[in-house]
Amino acid sequence: MNQSGTRTRLLTAASKLFGSKGFRAASVREITASAQANLGAVTYHFGTKANLYAAVLDQSFDRLATHIEEAAGAGRTSPESVRGIVATVFGFFREAPDVPRMILHQVSSRTPPPESVLRHLYRIVAAVQRVVSAGRTRGEFRNIEPVLVTFSLISQSVWFALAGAQIGPVLYPGLSSSALAGKIESHVADVIGRALAADEDTP
Amino acid sequence: MNQSGTRTRLLTAASKLFGSKGFRAASVREITASAQANLGAVTYHFGTKANLYAAVLDQSFDRLATHIEEAAGAGRTSPESVRGIVATVFGFFREAPDVPRMILHQVSSRTPPPESVLRHLYRIVAAVQRVVSAGRTRGEFRNIEPVLVTFSLISQSVWFALAGAQIGPVLYPGLSSSALAGKIESHVADVIGRALAADEDTP
């Protein structure tokens, strides 16, 4: 197992453990054990546990931002781009459930996110801005601040990814998990689409 | 200091500490110290730390549900009731910032909420259901599942209460915190209102 393999395994293990337990409760001992690395590996590769946390957050937000940028560039109409963004966020969170957990832990902490996370957040806001601007030019969307749209999108997506899996089966006992996921995704796409839609009486 | 005073102080201290640190990281020692109670007080009043956590969650969701029920009963039009619900949730979270933190920690845990929390959640869904039904009768709202509306409302309110305070000043550097709070509240009320609004071409 080479150096870069260890670094990758540490990031993967840390993402899982920070995601499930939060920064404080996840110990370096657990992370290195889960990554099959020696106890000094975190210090060697990242210096401190805080730096490892920042690297995991950075990686998660980078992937999220990249997915959103790609989806924002696709779609033939603006509403289609919005549905594509929601679909890609939900798909990503299904594949990588540690990511919404990490985001939730970051939001619930009292500390502002590190600079690198803010940089990815700005990328997401910029991608949403492009979609909103294109939609306004086409007369499909109204004037709305992309920062607020981004928050509405991320909050509901993270929330439904976690709370939906947790209490969805209680609230919708007859529904399969994939049917539930589909219902939730189309609801969020609908809410965001309606938030953006131009008013009927606006020229 | 009498018994019921100690119990109340334990709930208050636990709410703060569970809110800021999460269930695992908040210790019984810290909670009793912060409540100015002796170390055995949690065992005496609640049996276990898990029971204390359940009692705090129960109390928080009970208050949230009561606020929403009251707001749902007010408002002369359905859109007015919705704005009232959003305003009351935001007001409550401003007064009791531990509550959105507790809710976030519950959502990020892998365990479903205790029965008592589900009971309060059903009360919230029922209140939203009443507002949606009244709005449909008046032709103001479309047919939409109250469970999904409730999730959209709670997720955005909790998120903006925490993330807004954390990175709002970074994203809106010129804005006072009360102006920022007003902007966010009116955005969420708008998003929920548009999610519910009857389509123009629907009779």
Side-chain angles (χ1 to χ4, degrees):
Chain A
M1 303 195 196
N2 61 25
Q3 294 294 330
S4 101
T6 304
R7 191 177 190 281
T8 303
R9 288 201 314 281
L10 285 170
L11 283 170
T12 304
S15 179
K16 281 210 179 71
L17 286 160
F18 288 143
S20 60
K21 300 184 141 190
F23 175 71
R24 259 178 284 221
S27 71
V28 168
R29 185 174 293 274
E30 281 174 293
I31 293 165
T32 49
S34 160
Q36 297 182 278
N38 66 59
L39 194 55
V42 166
T43 311
Y44 179 81
H45 286 280
F46 299 95
T48 62
K49 183 180 157 190
N51 287 355
L52 171 59
Y53 181 79
V56 170
L57 257 187
D58 178 38
Q59 191 187 50
S60 303
F61 274 87
D62 183 17
R63 288 163 67 197
L64 179 63
T66 303
H67 281 291
I68 290 176
E69 284 169 342
E70 282 166 11
R76 276 160 312 172
T77 65
S78 305
E80 217 175 274
S81 301
V82 169
R83 280 195 297 276
I85 289 176
V86 172
T88 206
V89 172
F90 273 83
F92 176 48
F93 286 174
R94 265 195 301 277
E95 277 167 40
D98 309 325
V99 174
R101 283 211 174 77
M102 286 280 298
I103 297 177
L104 212 60
H105 278 297
Q106 172 56 43
V107 167
S108 71
S109 77
R110 286 173 194 267
T111 48
E115 192 54 48
S116 64
V117 167
L118 282 176
R119 212 173 54 234
H120 299 311
L121 189 58
Y122 286 128
R123 287 170 56 202
I124 296 173
V125 171
V128 170
Q129 167 82 76
R130 286 193 295 277
V131 172
V132 171
S133 296
R136 290 193 66 199
T137 304
R138 289 167 174 154
E140 293 165 335
F141 287 164
R142 68 193 178 108
N143 189 11
I144 183 169
E145 291 183 27
V147 165
L148 299 174
V149 177
T150 301
F151 270 64
S152 291
L153 167 71
I154 302 292
S155 60
Q156 293 182 87
S157 305
V158 168
W159 199 270
F160 277 108
L162 301 179
Q166 197 183 74
I167 68 166
V170 178
L171 295 169
Y172 291 104
L175 229 52
S176 72
S177 69
S178 69
L180 181 63
K183 181 198 262 297
I184 287 173
E185 185 183 313
S186 98
H187 166 73
V188 173
D190 196 39
V191 169
I192 300 294
R194 282 169 183 267
L196 290 166
D199 294 316
E200 293 287 320
D201 51 355
T202 308
Chain B
M1 303 196 197
N2 61 24
Q3 293 295 330
S4 99
T6 304
R7 192 177 189 281
T8 303
R9 288 202 312 284
L10 285 171
L11 283 170
T12 305
S15 179
K16 280 211 180 69
L17 286 159
F18 287 144
S20 59
K21 299 182 142 194
F23 175 71
R24 259 177 284 223
S27 71
V28 168
R29 186 175 293 275
E30 281 173 294
I31 293 166
T32 50
S34 161
Q36 296 182 279
N38 67 58
L39 194 54
V42 166
T43 311
Y44 179 82
H45 286 279
F46 298 95
T48 62
K49 183 180 156 190
N51 287 355
L52 171 60
Y53 181 78
V56 170
L57 257 188
D58 178 39
Q59 191 186 50
S60 302
F61 274 87
D62 183 18
R63 289 164 67 199
L64 179 62
T66 302
H67 281 292
I68 290 176
E69 283 169 343
E70 283 167 8
R76 277 162 310 173
T77 64
S78 305
E80 216 175 274
S81 301
V82 170
R83 279 194 298 274
I85 289 176
V86 173
T88 205
V89 172
F90 273 83
F92 176 50
F93 286 174
R94 264 195 301 274
E95 277 166 39
D98 308 325
V99 175
R101 282 212 173 77
M102 285 281 298
I103 297 177
L104 212 59
H105 278 296
Q106 172 56 42
V107 168
S108 71
S109 77
R110 286 173 193 266
T111 50
E115 193 54 48
S116 64
V117 167
L118 282 177
R119 213 173 52 237
H120 300 310
L121 188 57
Y122 287 128
R123 288 170 55 203
I124 296 173
V125 171
V128 170
Q129 167 83 75
R130 286 193 294 278
V131 172
V132 171
S133 296
R136 289 193 66 198
T137 304
R138 288 166 175 156
E140 293 165 335
F141 288 164
R142 67 191 179 110
N143 188 11
I144 183 169
E145 292 184 25
V147 165
L148 299 175
V149 177
T150 301
F151 271 63
S152 290
L153 168 71
I154 303 293
S155 60
Q156 292 182 87
S157 305
V158 168
W159 200 270
F160 277 109
L162 301 179
Q166 196 184 75
I167 67 166
V170 179
L171 294 169
Y172 292 105
L175 229 52
S176 72
S177 68
S178 70
L180 180 63
K183 180 198 263 297
I184 287 173
E185 184 183 313
S186 98
H187 166 73
V188 173
D190 196 38
V191 169
I192 300 296
R194 282 169 183 266
L196 290 165
D199 294 315
E200 293 288 318
D201 51 356
T202 306

